[in-house]
């Protein structure tokens, strides 16, 4: 099934509406997926970029072994993240920036790990965002995604297809297939799919991890 990607303006206005209620609604529902991604990122440690950091719900999942930078397209979502930073509870969070993941201003190979939690399925051009993540992660570093991905078969797939057109104005996209992520990696030399696994609860979310191929050793 092929449906169109979301438009950036739709995402921006949807998350302006989500911002005041996001933590209360999406905090508990997505917590297991968020933690699984942060645990995988902590295993790498160092400089971590959170793409689509939102209200900073993931700040609790990192510690002093990491240095977190966040970016997001939505000023109202980032306002919430900045309020969390101002509490002083997250010294490991270095900065959050208003920035579009399609065109990041970071230099090549800046981060040890790039994490995108519940983001890649709703950006306007997922392949471009993946390529930007690949550009800013260091060789040998990883890109970790967690999302609900399209079930492809059975009742869940039928429900997702039905919901697809009805949830777009909310900045949601329940019908995004794993095959698209795989196709991006196949088309990009140096992007290696290293992990794909279901995450609790009920395998609702999928964690996908790509590695940027390490540089060849000098002869
Ligand atoms: C479902 S929320 C996830 C927020 C956070 N990662 C979490 O797990 O709670 C998606 C976030 O991605 C952001 N986003 C969407 N498109 C983006 C883009 N092109 N660049 C940066 N952020 C984007 C939205 O503004 C929103 O804050």
């Amino acid at each position: 099934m092929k449906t169109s990607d979301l438009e950036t303006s739709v995402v921006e206005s949807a998350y302006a509406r989500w911002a005041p209620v996001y933590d209360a609604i999406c905090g508990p529902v997505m917590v297991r997926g968020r933690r699984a991604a942060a645990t995988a990122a902590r295993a790498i440690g160092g400089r971590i970029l959170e793409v689509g950091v939102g209200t900073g719900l993931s700040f609790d999942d990192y510690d002093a072994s990491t240095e977190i930078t966040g970016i997001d397209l939505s000023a109202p979502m980032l306002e919430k993240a900045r309020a969390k930073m101002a509490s002083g509870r997250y010294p490991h969070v270095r900065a959050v920036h208003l920035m579009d993941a399609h065109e990041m201003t970071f230099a090549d190979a800046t981060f040890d790990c790039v994490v995108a939690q519940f983001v890649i399925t709703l950006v306007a051009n997922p392949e471009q965002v993946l390529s930007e993540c690949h550009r800013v992660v260091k060789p040998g570093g990883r890109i970790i995604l967690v999302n609900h991905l399209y079930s492809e078969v059975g009742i869940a797939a039928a429900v997702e297809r039905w919901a697809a057109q009805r949830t777009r104005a909310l900045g949601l996209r329940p019908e995004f297939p794993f095959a698209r992520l795989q196709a991006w990696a196949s088309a990009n030399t140096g992007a290696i799919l290293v992990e794909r696994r279901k995450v609790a609860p009920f395998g609702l979310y999928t964690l996908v991890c790509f590695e940027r191929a390490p540089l060849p050793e000098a002869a």
Side-chain angles (χ1 to χ4, degrees):
M1 186 187 68
K2 175 92 174 102
T3 55
S4 62
D5 296 323
L6 270 71
E7 283 171 30
T8 296
S9 57
V10 172
V11 173
E12 267 180 311
S13 58
Y15 283 92
R17 295 199 306 276
W18 270 112
V21 294
Y22 187 86
D23 286 10
I25 295 176
C26 298
V29 177
M30 294 160 157
V31 65
R32 303 284 286 277
R34 206 176 285 115
R35 281 197 192 137
T39 302
R42 280 203 317 271
I44 297 162
R47 297 188 73 184
I48 295 175
L49 174 65
E50 275 259 353
V51 171
V53 67
T55 62
L57 274 176
S58 64
F59 292 170
D60 277 313
D61 301 328
Y62 294 105
D63 58 25
S65 67
T66 57
E67 182 193 276
I68 310 299
T69 300
I71 64 162
D72 204 285
L73 195 63
S74 166
M77 293 288 274
L78 279 185
E79 239 176 73
K80 301 277 177 189
R82 291 197 173 108
K84 289 189 178 75
M85 289 166 71
S87 72
R89 288 174 52 210
Y90 306 106
H92 50 283
V93 181
R94 183 183 184 192
V96 294
H97 305 284
L98 188 64
M99 196 186 292
D100 187 343
H102 295 88
E103 290 180 311
M104 298 189 214
T105 57
F106 305 114
D108 297 357
T110 298
F111 298 98
D112 297 288
C113 181
V114 177
V115 181
Q117 308 181 351
F118 305 106
V119 178
I120 202 67
T121 58
L122 53 85
V123 295
N125 184 333
E127 288 78 12
Q128 187 178 335
V129 168
L130 285 168
S131 295
E132 272 294 88
C133 294
H134 185 78
R135 180 184 70 74
V136 301
V137 79
K138 296 175 185 171
R142 292 196 168 188
I143 302 169
I144 298 167
L145 313 174
V146 71
N147 261 102
H148 170 75
L149 296 177
Y150 179 47
S151 306
E152 296 177 49
V153 290
I155 294 173
V159 171
E160 287 156 15
R161 280 197 303 273
W162 175 84
Q165 297 308 323
R166 291 161 183 84
T167 54
R168 295 176 105 65
L170 299 174
L172 304 175
R173 188 176 188 194
E175 81 304 357
F176 191 96
F178 169 73
R180 199 158 159 188
L181 302 177
Q182 199 171 27
W184 170 80
S186 304
N188 280 272
T189 316
I192 307 159
L193 176 67
V194 289
E195 192 176 7
R196 174 198 187 186
R197 71 176 146 93
K198 295 278 189 189
V199 173
F202 318 118
L204 194 59
Y205 305 127
T206 304
L207 185 144
V208 177
C209 180
F210 299 105
E211 181 174 292
R212 179 170 175 181
L215 293 175
E217 301 217 350

